[in-house]
Amino acid sequence: MSLPLSWPVSASQLEGSLLQQVAEELGQPASLLRWSLTAVEGERAWVEVVATTADGSPDLG
């Protein structure tokens, strides 16, 4: 998953953006189980995300 960055960025801001994007892609509220920043390229961050939906189904993004 990738998302745009605006500098400076904090881990909590990045996590909030990830949570919003994951929920939009899944079409329902989600919780992040873990995430890992894998690369930064210009103004984009590439992130590995593991999330779960409200019904407890895990999903990789």
Side-chain angles (χ1 to χ4, degrees):
M1 166 177 290
S2 73
L3 64 148
L5 289 177
S6 57
W7 300 101
V9 66
S10 69
S12 62
Q13 289 171 316
L14 187 55
E15 188 169 300
S17 295
L18 286 170
L19 185 56
Q20 181 178 6
Q21 186 169 341
V22 167
E24 287 174 12
E25 287 192 20
L26 295 176
Q28 60 181 308
S31 298
L32 299 180
L33 298 176
R34 69 175 186 266
W35 60 273
S36 176
L37 181 63
T38 58
V40 174
E41 197 173 281
E43 293 188 1
R44 290 206 75 75
W46 297 90
V47 184
E48 180 180 12
V49 176
V50 178
T52 187
T53 59
D55 66 4
S57 302
D59 195 293
L60 296 174

